[in-house]
Amino acid sequence: MGRPREFDETDVLNAACDAFWSRGYEATSTRDLVKATGLTQPSLYNAFGDKRALFLRVLDHYLQQSLRERIARHEAAGTPGTAIAGFFAETVQRSLDDPGKRGCLMVNSVLEATPDDEELRDALAAEIVQIRDFFLRCVQAGQASGEIAQTVGAQEAAQHLLAVLLGLRVIARIRPERDWLVNAVAPALTLLGLLPGKTA
């Protein structure tokens, strides 16, 4: 029988997440991870695998606790239009409230992923599709109910909203100012009739 683990897995993943999020995947060394988690290198890798495997676990943990949770909460809480608007409003506020200007770990990882890093690229691509599908479900339902303008097709609108979201998180790292972030989102919401303005 193996010895029971003497650490809390969630605490370790949170600590490793902070390290990767602050420095990026490539710049985060094993020494950084050992210091952040309080585990020895053998203990860390025995529990989670190598640095790549640990990062993928951390990314999944981060997405489950943040992005996926927010999507589920907004989609369940109101109408399709309020789900989209509320999701963006919360994203703007989270960007403004981040004292380290770290942005989004997922988006940072997209920018850092190299062409030969297929495992990471596939994981990130799958997550981005999930975000696009959230927008697509909302736009389709909102257009069917009349809440969302049919100015553009649902597929095009969903992909546009995704592009705005990714751009927003990049801008927030260098210009975390409310006017910059709100003005980046407003035209997309206006196009769908979710803010006052011309929609046709």
Side-chain angles (χ1 to χ4, degrees), residues 4-200:
R5 293 183 179 180
E6 299 176 352
F7 60 85
D8 183 279
E9 182 174 293
T10 298
D11 288 345
V12 171
L13 289 174
N14 285 337
C17 181
D18 285 339
F20 282 125
W21 201 354
S22 297
R23 298 175 179 85
Y25 173 75
E26 290 294 341
T28 302
S29 66
T30 301
R31 180 178 298 180
D32 293 328
L33 294 169
V34 166
K35 181 179 180 180
T37 63
L39 299 180
T40 64
Q41 180 177 333
S43 295
L44 193 62
Y45 284 5
N46 284 340
F48 298 100
D50 60 12
K51 176 183 169 182
R52 166 50 49 79
L54 174 59
F55 180 71
L56 290 174
R57 284 286 304 280
V58 163
L59 183 62
D60 184 71
H61 175 72
Y62 165 84
L63 291 168
Q64 189 61 42
Q65 299 298 314
S66 60
L67 192 59
R68 295 172 193 156
E69 182 277 331
R70 287 191 289 131
I71 286 174
R73 173 162 44 81
H74 283 289
E75 200 164 9
T79 65
T82 60
I84 293 172
F87 181 84
F88 274 107
E90 184 173 349
T91 300
V92 167
Q93 192 59 52
R94 287 168 67 93
S95 298
L96 295 172
D97 291 343
D98 178 10
K101 301 180 179 62
R102 297 176 299 176
C104 169
L105 179 62
M106 183 198 71
V107 175
N108 296 350
S109 301
V110 168
L111 297 174
E112 190 176 6
T114 57
D116 60 344
D117 195 348
E118 292 186 11
E119 185 179 15
L120 178 58
R121 288 165 63 88
D122 288 348
L124 293 167
E127 202 64 39
I128 285 176
V129 168
Q130 293 301 310
I131 304 170
R132 190 278 314 274
D133 288 350
F134 157 63
F135 288 136
L136 181 59
R137 290 191 301 272
C138 290
V139 174
Q140 287 175 330
Q143 288 183 337
S145 70
E147 180 188 17
I148 293 177
Q150 298 189 30
T151 316
V152 295
Q155 185 78 22
E156 292 85 352
Q159 291 183 197
H160 178 61
L161 291 170
L162 173 63
V164 171
L165 175 66
L166 298 180
L168 178 70
R169 293 303 258 160
V170 174
I171 291 170
R173 293 200 64 182
I174 54 174
R175 294 298 296 262
E177 302 163 26
R178 184 174 296 278
D179 284 350
W180 271 71
L181 304 183
V182 169
N183 289 339
V185 176
L189 299 183
T190 301
L191 180 70
L192 299 179
L194 298 177
L195 287 179
K198 293 182 67 176
T199 61

